[in-house]
Amino acid sequence: MNSSNKASISSVITELVGHLSQLPGIGPKTAERLAFHIIKTPESKITSLSQSLMKAKQQLTFCKNCFIVTENDPCSICSNEFRDHKTLCIVHNSIDAYAIENTNTYSGSYHILNGSISPINGIGPNELTISQLLMRINNNLPNEIIIATNPTIEGDATSTYIINQIKNDEVKITRLAIGIPIGGDLDYTDNKTLTQAFNSRQPIR
Ligand SMILES: [Zn+2]
């Protein structure tokens, strides 16, 4: 018998918290909150959640050409003959590509890096799909490569690395503009964004 009066937490909870805290962006406190939320949730909902997790794992894969998460390989973008396969947009993750798709403004193809260069987290170029990107560029030289990495230290490092690796001068390389968000306020715009917005101003007449 335990000599202390203190109740010890169930090993089932500890295990659940352990698994949840391995998810990106989930710290130990959030993992604990999620674990107790799961315990309170009706069993039918948890069954649906676990089935959905298994379905995602079993039915989704990465396109071998562009590395987007897809049900079919090659994906519906790579296999679509009506899309412009001479324009290549480089993004960190599939979710970024789907965000661009939702704008209905882009009809080219994508290359998903599956992350960003981050020496602090031990992620170098070899952990991303950069060699596959360079191979794609060599095999089918695009007219334009659009760098759509995040405007962060990691995103900039990734972008600089990729640009330096593209040796062919014939290909046009562009980067998404950085500026004031729609509905934003100059007052609340940080110095760096405002500077970038100024530098990338567009003529209107
Ligand atoms: Zn694809």
Side-chain angles (χ1 to χ4, degrees), residues 45-64:
K45 282 196 173 173
I46 298 302
T47 306
S48 305
L49 172 65
S50 55
Q51 281 169 348
S52 180
L53 288 171
M54 281 314 293
K55 207 155 99 186
K57 201 58 215 160
Q58 287 162 351
Q59 295 183 10
L60 296 175
T61 183
F62 293 98
C63 172
K64 282 192 187 68

Side-chain angles (χ1 to χ4, degrees), residues 92 116-121 149-160:
H92 290 296
S116 49
I117 293 175
S118 173
I120 292 174
N121 296 310
T149 54
N150 292 334
T152 58
I153 292 170
E154 282 93 357
D156 288 345
T158 310
S159 151
T160 305

